[in-house]
Amino acid sequence: MCGTEQDTACVSKCTFSTEATGEKRSLSSDAIINLDHGDPTMLETYWRKMGDKCTVVISGYQSLSYFANTKNICWFLEPQLEEEVKRLHRVVGNAAVDDYYMVVGTGSTQLLQAALFALSPPDGSEPVSVVSAAPYYSCYPEVTDFLRSGLYKWAGDANAFDKDGPYIEFVTSPNNPDGTIREAIVKGYGGGKLVHDLAYYWPQYTPITSCAHHDIMLFTFSKCTGHAGSRIGWALVKEKEVARRMIKFMEVSTIGVSKESQIRAAKILGVISDSCLPVPPPDSINFFKFSQNLMVQRWDELREVVGHSEIFSLPEYPQDYCLFTGKFTETHPAFAWLKCNKDIEDLGKFLKGHKVLARSGRRFGSDPKYVRVSMVSKEEEFKLFLERLLAIQAPTNGNLK
Amino acid sequence: MCGTEQDTACVSKCTFSTEATGEKRSLSSDAIINLDHGDPTMLETYWRKMGDKCTVVISGYQSLSYFANTKNICWFLEPQLEEEVKRLHRVVGNAAVDDYYMVVGTGSTQLLQAALFALSPPDGSEPVSVVSAAPYYSCYPEVTDFLRSGLYKWAGDANAFDKDGPYIEFVTSPNNPDGTIREAIVKGYGGGKLVHDLAYYWPQYTPITSCAHHDIMLFTFSKCTGHAGSRIGWALVKEKEVARRMIKFMEVSTIGVSKESQIRAAKILGVISDSCLPVPPPDSINFFKFSQNLMVQRWDELREVVGHSEIFSLPEYPQDYCLFTGKFTETHPAFAWLKCNKDIEDLGKFLKGHKVLARSGRRFGSDPKYVRVSMVSKEEEFKLFLERLLAIQAPTNGNLK
């Protein structure tokens, strides 16, 4: 999670609902609410409504082999997953798939590393610089540097990068943590390679304004459908040689990707595409309408609470025409990039005192007056978060309650 | 697979049976037989016999979260997998589980890397040396060096290692590729850390002579049950701090491990343990008896073919008392470490000319007069391999046919 172990340990103090049985248990009123991670459990209600449509049945004799399709250069990619991923991108219109190679990963986190491996000059005398514009996703520095690779090295904020020579820039759009729509920053005069992290480029989060067709585009099942536990991500890659190097990384790193997760992801993505048909199957609910409504509702509620406060503020997002919904909408990010306007130097620490865990702006190469708060938690946690935010009043006698 | 891409591409020339439907298609008589990888598809017949016993059903709303058990330091480990892994080790008696921390990985390959990360001094001025006694598993050098880590570095054959200072030794027993029973080699006077790779320490491959209780022990679902496609491995770790660092690696590398694979692995391991009960469930077949019989049969067949040849030879293994079966048995490794005794300098190349792909001894830090041949392929491939071996006659007029 690129979070601290302390944060992870804190989650255990919360009481979650038991997903498998559907049994609901309430959070105690003094429970610690962990919104540090973007654990996308918000959509459990949707998947329960879908009933058996997404149920997968796997027999004991299936998928014994390492191989899924020896005719594909990505030999561990299940054909039905490739088919359903491409179908969904065509339905949504958010990314080009024709003439792209698809590489599946154990979440997009592994594919970030595969991309770094693939794009680093193999014979470079020094590691290639890896940058992203601040505030950048907090995992980028950690994932880049945790093994002290001689191939690549984190070089910080892309805005401040002025080194000559090769570099790799992560372009995250909509951005994690602040939801902005982004383009590449560094003017590298041909020496740079771009990795577009499009994890949140889906209609529930942001208007689809064009069909992306970058060199390397990363997506993740967890942010698209909410199935974080499956650890499925995919890359769409223009150049065969880059795809081949990414596949090599996957081969050495984990000898491919769970077949069970791929089979299930294929089924679930298929159900989503079906739900968007002009005449959807009986009892189907349009996935993107449902999830977009939820995001709009949560953002409305959060903006109302923040509007009553003199302490906090949120970014504003412009409206844009969404090619998928055919409507003007604004971005409703999976995270709120919350800022404190008063004399609170460390908002993360302050909120922790109110039993809300959020990720400090410092972790994103930004100011600790900001925190990133998950907007995709379970309803109960989100409500409790709003209540606590509302209870934090403006300063009285110089102190915040 | 730590194999060449060329090898992977070659597999596509073979025609495999279609597992999902049970439909069988025959290999053409001139098909390339790929026994380079240890793709453990041999046991498909067993899993078909088990019928619905191992079938898993997963609903669309299950396992959305990154978390599996926030009360466990390995927060992404499914409780039922931990339970079934520990139960199976108790049934077989091959490894101690009490007072061990379990870490789940995307196959044991990922856990090898997690162990290197956990055991490397974080503030070391130079990378720690990683060694294993030749012939060593061909993935070790590749996995250690592919990212040119500043934390650890491959230092080759443990027999030749005489450097002062810290090191990490992989001890593989039974060994891959040659099936020997091994202990640590380097006498490091306290500066060394050991990682015991016990992937093949199961009764179908070797007598269980004691309950292993090393500091770090690695196992993999693929070599235990044949489910390589699931990418599930586990580590049993004595020290909490080492386990915590391995978990940190898993967190940064892939944010945990597929929940679907874990759920399925738990079910399948449970079926195996049940099959070993004094009174097993109806229609159950003792898994280890079945798989051991298959290994014995294949080794008998291979030894017979090799016995007729003046060209090839195989290692001999001593008999030992197996605490699990209560019988004297010998090792029947998952790979044959085949040697050519004639004037063939490169056995891998020679066999390739006969349309059999096997991994050259060179890849294991050994002599190219050896190859490693998978003994756990599908029956049809194994038979064709034997036929081809039999057809290779002793030299006539100085040439091998």
CSV table of all heavy atoms in Angstrom, one decimal, chain A residues 211-247:
chain,number,residue,atom,x,y,z
A,211,CYS,N,-10.1,9.7,-26.9
A,211,CYS,CA,-9.6,8.3,-26.8
A,211,CYS,C,-8.1,8.4,-26.7
A,211,CYS,O,-7.4,8.7,-27.7
A,211,CYS,CB,-10.1,7.6,-28.1
A,211,CYS,SG,-9.6,5.8,-28.1
A,212,ALA,N,-7.6,8.1,-25.5
A,212,ALA,CA,-6.1,8.2,-25.3
A,212,ALA,C,-5.3,7.2,-26.2
A,212,ALA,O,-5.8,6.1,-26.4
A,212,ALA,CB,-5.8,7.9,-23.8
A,213,HIS,N,-4.2,7.6,-26.7
A,213,HIS,CA,-3.4,6.7,-27.5
A,213,HIS,C,-1.9,7.0,-27.3
A,213,HIS,O,-1.2,7.2,-28.3
A,213,HIS,CB,-3.8,6.9,-29.0
A,213,HIS,CG,-3.7,8.3,-29.5
A,213,HIS,ND1,-4.7,9.3,-29.3
A,213,HIS,CD2,-2.7,9.0,-30.1
A,213,HIS,CE1,-4.3,10.4,-29.8
A,213,HIS,NE2,-3.1,10.3,-30.3
A,214,HIS,N,-1.5,6.9,-26.1
A,214,HIS,CA,-0.1,7.2,-25.7
A,214,HIS,C,0.7,5.9,-25.9
A,214,HIS,O,0.1,4.8,-26.1
A,214,HIS,CB,0.0,7.6,-24.2
A,214,HIS,CG,-0.9,8.8,-23.9
A,214,HIS,ND1,-0.7,10.1,-24.4
A,214,HIS,CD2,-2.1,8.9,-23.2
A,214,HIS,CE1,-1.6,10.9,-24.0
A,214,HIS,NE2,-2.5,10.2,-23.3
A,215,ASP,N,2.0,6.0,-25.8
A,215,ASP,CA,2.9,4.9,-26.0
A,215,ASP,C,2.7,3.7,-25.0
A,215,ASP,O,2.7,2.6,-25.4
A,215,ASP,CB,4.4,5.3,-25.9
A,215,ASP,CG,4.8,6.2,-27.1
A,215,ASP,OD1,3.9,6.3,-28.1
A,215,ASP,OD2,5.9,6.8,-27.1
A,216,ILE,N,2.6,4.1,-23.7
A,216,ILE,CA,2.3,3.1,-22.7
A,216,ILE,C,1.2,3.6,-21.8
A,216,ILE,O,1.4,4.7,-21.2
A,216,ILE,CB,3.6,2.8,-21.8
A,216,ILE,CG1,4.8,2.4,-22.6
A,216,ILE,CG2,3.2,1.8,-20.7
A,216,ILE,CD1,6.0,2.0,-21.8
A,217,MET,N,0.1,2.9,-21.7
A,217,MET,CA,-1.0,3.3,-20.9
A,217,MET,C,-1.3,2.2,-19.9
A,217,MET,O,-1.4,1.1,-20.2
A,217,MET,CB,-2.2,3.6,-21.8
A,217,MET,CG,-2.0,4.6,-22.8
A,217,MET,SD,-3.5,5.0,-23.8
A,217,MET,CE,-3.5,3.6,-25.0
A,218,LEU,N,-1.4,2.6,-18.6
A,218,LEU,CA,-1.6,1.7,-17.5
A,218,LEU,C,-3.0,1.8,-17.0
A,218,LEU,O,-3.5,3.0,-16.7
A,218,LEU,CB,-0.6,1.9,-16.4
A,218,LEU,CG,0.9,1.8,-16.7
A,218,LEU,CD1,1.7,1.9,-15.5
A,218,LEU,CD2,1.2,0.5,-17.5
A,219,PHE,N,-3.7,0.7,-16.7
A,219,PHE,CA,-5.0,0.7,-16.1
A,219,PHE,C,-5.0,-0.4,-15.0
A,219,PHE,O,-4.1,-1.3,-15.0
A,219,PHE,CB,-6.1,0.3,-17.2
A,219,PHE,CG,-6.3,1.4,-18.2
A,219,PHE,CD1,-5.6,1.4,-19.4
A,219,PHE,CD2,-7.2,2.4,-17.9
A,219,PHE,CE1,-5.8,2.4,-20.3
A,219,PHE,CE2,-7.4,3.4,-18.9
A,219,PHE,CZ,-6.7,3.4,-20.1
A,220,THR,N,-5.9,-0.2,-14.1
A,220,THR,CA,-6.0,-1.3,-13.1
A,220,THR,C,-7.5,-1.6,-12.8
A,220,THR,O,-8.4,-0.7,-12.7
A,220,THR,CB,-5.3,-0.8,-11.8
A,220,THR,OG1,-5.7,-1.6,-10.7
A,220,THR,CG2,-5.6,0.6,-11.4
A,221,PHE,N,-7.7,-2.9,-12.6
A,221,PHE,CA,-9.0,-3.5,-12.3
A,221,PHE,C,-9.6,-2.8,-11.1
A,221,PHE,O,-10.8,-2.5,-11.0
A,221,PHE,CB,-8.8,-5.0,-12.1
A,221,PHE,CG,-10.1,-5.8,-12.1
A,221,PHE,CD1,-11.1,-5.6,-12.9
A,221,PHE,CD2,-10.1,-6.9,-11.2
A,221,PHE,CE1,-12.2,-6.4,-12.9
A,221,PHE,CE2,-11.2,-7.7,-11.1
A,221,PHE,CZ,-12.3,-7.5,-11.9
A,222,SER,N,-8.7,-2.6,-10.1
A,222,SER,CA,-9.2,-2.1,-8.8
A,222,SER,C,-9.8,-0.8,-8.9
A,222,SER,O,-10.9,-0.5,-8.2
A,222,SER,CB,-8.0,-2.1,-7.7
A,222,SER,OG,-7.1,-1.1,-8.1
A,223,LYS,N,-9.3,0.1,-9.7
A,223,LYS,CA,-9.9,1.5,-9.7
A,223,LYS,C,-11.1,1.5,-10.8
A,223,LYS,O,-11.9,2.4,-10.7
A,223,LYS,CB,-8.9,2.5,-10.1
A,223,LYS,CG,-7.7,2.5,-9.1
A,223,LYS,CD,-8.1,2.6,-7.7
A,223,LYS,CE,-6.9,2.6,-6.7
A,223,LYS,NZ,-7.3,2.4,-5.3
A,224,CYS,N,-11.1,0.6,-11.7
A,224,CYS,CA,-12.2,0.5,-12.7
A,224,CYS,C,-13.4,-0.1,-12.0
A,224,CYS,O,-14.5,0.5,-12.1
A,224,CYS,CB,-11.7,-0.3,-13.9
A,224,CYS,SG,-13.0,-0.6,-15.1
A,225,THR,N,-13.3,-1.2,-11.4
A,225,THR,CA,-14.5,-1.9,-10.9
A,225,THR,C,-14.6,-2.0,-9.4
A,225,THR,O,-15.6,-2.4,-8.8
A,225,THR,CB,-14.5,-3.4,-11.4
A,225,THR,OG1,-13.4,-4.1,-10.7
A,225,THR,CG2,-14.3,-3.5,-12.9
A,226,GLY,N,-13.5,-1.7,-8.7
A,226,GLY,CA,-13.4,-1.9,-7.3
A,226,GLY,C,-12.9,-3.2,-6.7
A,226,GLY,O,-12.9,-3.4,-5.5
A,227,HIS,N,-12.4,-4.0,-7.6
A,227,HIS,CA,-11.9,-5.3,-7.2
A,227,HIS,C,-10.3,-5.3,-7.0
A,227,HIS,O,-9.5,-5.8,-7.7
A,227,HIS,CB,-12.2,-6.4,-8.3
A,227,HIS,CG,-13.6,-6.7,-8.3
A,227,HIS,ND1,-14.5,-6.0,-9.1
A,227,HIS,CD2,-14.4,-7.7,-7.7
A,227,HIS,CE1,-15.8,-6.5,-8.9
A,227,HIS,NE2,-15.7,-7.5,-8.1
A,228,ALA,N,-10.0,-4.6,-5.9
A,228,ALA,CA,-8.6,-4.4,-5.5
A,228,ALA,C,-7.9,-5.7,-5.1
A,228,ALA,O,-6.7,-6.0,-5.3
A,228,ALA,CB,-8.4,-3.4,-4.4
A,229,GLY,N,-8.7,-6.6,-4.5
A,229,GLY,CA,-8.2,-7.9,-4.0
A,229,GLY,C,-7.7,-8.8,-5.1
A,229,GLY,O,-6.9,-9.7,-4.8
A,230,SER,N,-8.1,-8.6,-6.3
A,230,SER,CA,-7.7,-9.5,-7.4
A,230,SER,C,-6.3,-9.2,-8.0
A,230,SER,O,-5.8,-10.0,-8.6
A,230,SER,CB,-8.7,-9.3,-8.6
A,230,SER,OG,-10.0,-9.5,-8.2
A,231,ARG,N,-5.8,-8.0,-7.7
A,231,ARG,CA,-4.5,-7.6,-8.2
A,231,ARG,C,-4.3,-7.8,-9.7
A,231,ARG,O,-3.4,-8.5,-10.1
A,231,ARG,CB,-3.4,-8.4,-7.4
A,231,ARG,CG,-3.5,-8.4,-5.9
A,231,ARG,CD,-3.7,-7.1,-5.2
A,231,ARG,NE,-2.8,-6.1,-5.6
A,231,ARG,CZ,-3.1,-4.9,-6.2
A,231,ARG,NH1,-4.4,-4.6,-6.4
A,231,ARG,NH2,-2.2,-4.1,-6.6
A,232,ILE,N,-5.2,-7.2,-10.4
A,232,ILE,CA,-5.1,-7.2,-11.9
A,232,ILE,C,-4.9,-5.8,-12.4
A,232,ILE,O,-5.7,-4.9,-12.1
A,232,ILE,CB,-6.3,-7.9,-12.5
A,232,ILE,CG1,-6.4,-9.4,-12.2
A,232,ILE,CG2,-6.4,-7.7,-14.0
A,232,ILE,CD1,-5.3,-10.2,-12.9
A,233,GLY,N,-3.9,-5.7,-13.2
A,233,GLY,CA,-3.7,-4.4,-14.0
A,233,GLY,C,-3.4,-4.8,-15.4
A,233,GLY,O,-3.0,-5.9,-15.7
A,234,TRP,N,-3.4,-3.8,-16.3
A,234,TRP,CA,-3.0,-4.1,-17.7
A,234,TRP,C,-2.3,-2.8,-18.3
A,234,TRP,O,-2.6,-1.7,-17.9
A,234,TRP,CB,-4.1,-4.6,-18.6
A,234,TRP,CG,-5.3,-3.6,-18.7
A,234,TRP,CD1,-5.5,-2.7,-19.7
A,234,TRP,CD2,-6.5,-3.6,-17.9
A,234,TRP,NE1,-6.7,-2.0,-19.6
A,234,TRP,CE2,-7.3,-2.5,-18.5
A,234,TRP,CE3,-6.9,-4.2,-16.8
A,234,TRP,CZ2,-8.6,-2.2,-17.9
A,234,TRP,CZ3,-8.2,-3.9,-16.2
A,234,TRP,CH2,-9.0,-2.9,-16.8
A,235,ALA,N,-1.4,-3.1,-19.2
A,235,ALA,CA,-0.8,-2.1,-19.9
A,235,ALA,C,-1.1,-2.2,-21.4
A,235,ALA,O,-1.2,-3.3,-21.9
A,235,ALA,CB,0.8,-2.2,-19.7
A,236,LEU,N,-1.4,-1.1,-22.0
A,236,LEU,CA,-1.5,-1.1,-23.5
A,236,LEU,C,-0.3,-0.4,-24.0
A,236,LEU,O,0.1,0.7,-23.7
A,236,LEU,CB,-2.8,-0.3,-23.9
A,236,LEU,CG,-4.1,-0.9,-23.4
A,236,LEU,CD1,-5.2,0.0,-23.6
A,236,LEU,CD2,-4.4,-2.3,-24.0
A,237,VAL,N,0.4,-1.1,-24.9
A,237,VAL,CA,1.8,-0.7,-25.3
A,237,VAL,C,1.9,-0.7,-26.8
A,237,VAL,O,1.5,-1.7,-27.5
A,237,VAL,CB,2.8,-1.8,-24.7
A,237,VAL,CG1,4.3,-1.3,-25.0
A,237,VAL,CG2,2.6,-1.9,-23.2
A,238,LYS,N,2.4,0.4,-27.3
A,238,LYS,CA,2.5,0.6,-28.7
A,238,LYS,C,3.6,-0.2,-29.4
A,238,LYS,O,3.4,-0.8,-30.4
A,238,LYS,CB,2.6,2.1,-29.0
A,238,LYS,CG,1.9,2.5,-30.3
A,238,LYS,CD,2.0,4.0,-30.5
A,238,LYS,CE,0.7,4.7,-30.3
A,238,LYS,NZ,0.8,6.2,-30.4
A,239,GLU,N,4.8,-0.1,-28.8
A,239,GLU,CA,5.9,-0.8,-29.4
A,239,GLU,C,6.1,-2.2,-29.0
A,239,GLU,O,6.2,-2.5,-27.8
A,239,GLU,CB,7.2,0.0,-29.1
A,239,GLU,CG,7.4,1.2,-30.0
A,239,GLU,CD,8.7,2.0,-29.7
A,239,GLU,OE1,9.7,1.3,-29.4
A,239,GLU,OE2,8.7,3.2,-29.7
A,240,LYS,N,6.3,-3.1,-29.9
A,240,LYS,CA,6.5,-4.5,-29.6
A,240,LYS,C,7.7,-4.8,-28.7
A,240,LYS,O,7.6,-5.6,-27.8
A,240,LYS,CB,6.6,-5.3,-30.9
A,240,LYS,CG,6.5,-6.8,-30.7
A,240,LYS,CD,6.5,-7.6,-32.0
A,240,LYS,CE,6.2,-9.1,-31.7
A,240,LYS,NZ,6.1,-9.8,-33.0
A,241,GLU,N,8.8,-4.1,-29.0
A,241,GLU,CA,10.0,-4.4,-28.2
A,241,GLU,C,9.8,-3.9,-26.7
A,241,GLU,O,10.3,-4.6,-25.8
A,241,GLU,CB,11.2,-3.6,-28.9
A,241,GLU,CG,12.5,-4.1,-28.4
A,241,GLU,CD,12.7,-5.6,-28.3
A,241,GLU,OE1,12.2,-6.3,-29.2
A,241,GLU,OE2,13.3,-6.1,-27.3
A,242,VAL,N,9.1,-2.8,-26.5
A,242,VAL,CA,8.8,-2.4,-25.1
A,242,VAL,C,7.9,-3.4,-24.5
A,242,VAL,O,8.2,-3.8,-23.3
A,242,VAL,CB,8.2,-1.0,-25.1
A,242,VAL,CG1,7.8,-0.6,-23.7
A,242,VAL,CG2,9.2,0.1,-25.7
A,243,ALA,N,6.9,-3.8,-25.2
A,243,ALA,CA,6.0,-4.9,-24.6
A,243,ALA,C,6.8,-6.1,-24.2
A,243,ALA,O,6.6,-6.7,-23.2
A,243,ALA,CB,4.9,-5.2,-25.6
A,244,ARG,N,7.7,-6.5,-25.1
A,244,ARG,CA,8.5,-7.7,-24.9
A,244,ARG,C,9.3,-7.6,-23.6
A,244,ARG,O,9.4,-8.5,-22.8
A,244,ARG,CB,9.4,-8.0,-26.1
A,244,ARG,CG,9.8,-9.4,-26.2
A,244,ARG,CD,10.8,-9.5,-27.4
A,244,ARG,NE,10.3,-9.4,-28.7
A,244,ARG,CZ,9.6,-10.3,-29.3
A,244,ARG,NH1,9.4,-11.5,-28.8
A,244,ARG,NH2,9.2,-10.1,-30.6
A,245,ARG,N,9.9,-6.4,-23.4
A,245,ARG,CA,10.7,-6.2,-22.2
A,245,ARG,C,9.9,-6.2,-21.0
A,245,ARG,O,10.3,-6.7,-19.9
A,245,ARG,CB,11.5,-4.9,-22.3
A,245,ARG,CG,12.5,-4.8,-23.5
A,245,ARG,CD,14.0,-5.0,-23.0
A,245,ARG,NE,14.4,-4.2,-21.9
A,245,ARG,CZ,15.4,-4.5,-21.1
A,245,ARG,NH1,16.0,-5.7,-21.2
A,245,ARG,NH2,15.7,-3.7,-20.1
A,246,MET,N,8.7,-5.6,-21.1
A,246,MET,CA,7.7,-5.6,-19.9
A,246,MET,C,7.3,-7.1,-19.6
A,246,MET,O,7.3,-7.4,-18.4
A,246,MET,CB,6.5,-4.8,-20.2
A,246,MET,CG,6.8,-3.3,-20.2
A,246,MET,SD,5.3,-2.3,-20.6
A,246,MET,CE,4.4,-2.4,-19.0
A,247,ILE,N,7.1,-7.9,-20.6
A,247,ILE,CA,6.7,-9.3,-20.4
A,247,ILE,C,7.9,-10.0,-19.8
A,247,ILE,O,7.7,-10.8,-18.9
A,247,ILE,CB,6.3,-9.9,-21.7
A,247,ILE,CG1,5.0,-9.3,-22.2
A,247,ILE,CG2,6.2,-11.4,-21.6
A,247,ILE,CD1,4.7,-9.4,-23.7
